[in-house]
Amino acid sequence: MLPYFPFAKGFDLKMGTSPLRDEFCVAECDKHYLHEVSLKRKMLTENPEWYFLANPNTSLAQWEALDLILTGLAKNYPQHFQLSKEGNLWNWKNFLLNETHTFVWGDSNTLPFQPLEWVGRQVQEDLILLNADLIVVAGQLCFPSGWSLSDKMNQHFIKVHAPLPQITDNMIQSANKLLERIPAHKPVVRNNWGFRVCDWLDLSTRQSEAYRKLLQETASSLQIEDVGEKVFVRVEHQTLSRLPQSNHILFTIHTYQSKLKDEVTDSQRAK
């Protein structure tokens, strides 16, 4: 079942954030790790410019994001990851992937990719960087739901969510104020949710036509007894962290999904 079940007693238009219990919990590792990381790497190899973009002046923020993510993984999953630091010389061991990487923190020439893209290949999360003005300046986005990085680069946070119904204006304005006020080392977390008729992780705009076709086909033939099998609950577990040196914000998105039938085996969830 889903590790996060974001349904409340009633629907409201609040952003629904809460403090993250530990700033080093921005990345999570679960039983889908090998499959999802392998899929991300395949996508990044085949279509690198579609799934990763970064402005030239984002190097420091990328390195800060790498630091936060690797430190957290090594702290929270020592059976899978190990990080050792001797000054700026870092050694990273990923036991799940059977990989070892040695690099100099701050020197991008010591990594095979830009820091954000490289660390994104170590985690299941999508990673987005917003600058101090809340402009999208970098990202690795492989598993979005209905959007793409190229459409949102160099846009303000509010425009990233456009177009939305007018009724959500207050929520977006509140979210904007929240992002402006996030202090360093005090990240926040929220969970988003929706229903889908497939378990595709990549629902970016390049998949929109195929998904619309699948949706029409599924909807036209869907029977009551098939709903639990054919409808998926999709949850985005999102974190927002202020990076202290660059003053950028790291936005992480971990996508979880489950067949509806598996969620309703729990009577409370079914209710």
Side-chain angles (χ1 to χ4, degrees), residues 12-24:
D12 63 50
L13 290 171
K14 296 178 181 178
M15 192 176 177
T17 59
S18 59
L20 188 64
R21 61 181 175 85
D22 187 325
E23 70 171 315
F24 295 112

Side-chain angles (χ1 to χ4, degrees), residues 25 43-44 46 53 65 76-77 84 93 111 119 132 140 163 242 264:
C25 291
M43 294 163 65
L44 287 159
E46 294 176 349
L53 291 170
N76 297 319
Y77 307 97
S84 59
K93 293 183 179 180
L111 286 176
V119 76
Q140 184 193 85
R242 177 77 64 188
V264 299

Side-chain angles (χ1 to χ4, degrees), residues 221-231:
S221 61
L222 192 63
Q223 302 295 318
I224 291 176
E225 58 270 20
D226 298 331
V227 170
E229 181 70 29
K230 294 186 176 181
V231 175

Side-chain angles (χ1 to χ4, degrees), residues 102-222:
T102 300
F103 55 89
V104 178
W105 192 94
D107 183 353
S108 296
N109 293 322
T110 60
L111 286 176
F113 307 100
Q114 292 192 54
L116 193 71
E117 181 178 356
W118 180 83
V119 76
R121 291 168 178 257
Q122 302 288 321
V123 296
Q124 295 165 258
E125 283 76 11
D126 284 322
L127 310 172
I128 306 294
L129 284 176
L130 309 174
N131 67 13
D133 296 320
L134 305 185
I135 305 295
V136 177
V137 293
Q140 184 193 85
L141 187 70
C142 295
F143 304 148
S145 184
W147 62 293
S148 299
L149 191 58
S150 59
D151 298 331
K152 307 301 181 182
M153 278 292 289
N154 300 309
Q155 292 192 28
H156 190 272
F157 169 78
I158 291 180
K159 288 187 177 180
V160 166
H161 291 81
L164 283 173
Q166 187 174 356
I167 194 173
T168 64
D169 284 351
N170 289 339
M171 180 189 73
I172 295 299
Q173 293 297 333
S174 296
N176 187 66
K177 291 179 181 178
L178 171 72
L179 291 181
E180 290 177 341
R181 297 170 182 171
I182 291 177
H185 310 299
K186 298 288 184 181
V188 298
V189 62
R190 70 182 297 267
N191 296 308
N192 210 354
W193 63 269
F195 294 110
R196 300 291 182 267
V197 294
C198 67
D199 62 353
W200 302 351
L201 283 163
D202 178 11
L203 287 175
S204 59
T205 50
R206 72 194 305 262
Q207 307 291 352
S208 295
E209 185 176 347
Y211 182 75
R212 279 196 297 267
K213 182 179 179 181
L214 177 63
L215 178 60
Q216 291 171 355
E217 292 173 352
T218 303
S220 64
S221 61
L222 192 63

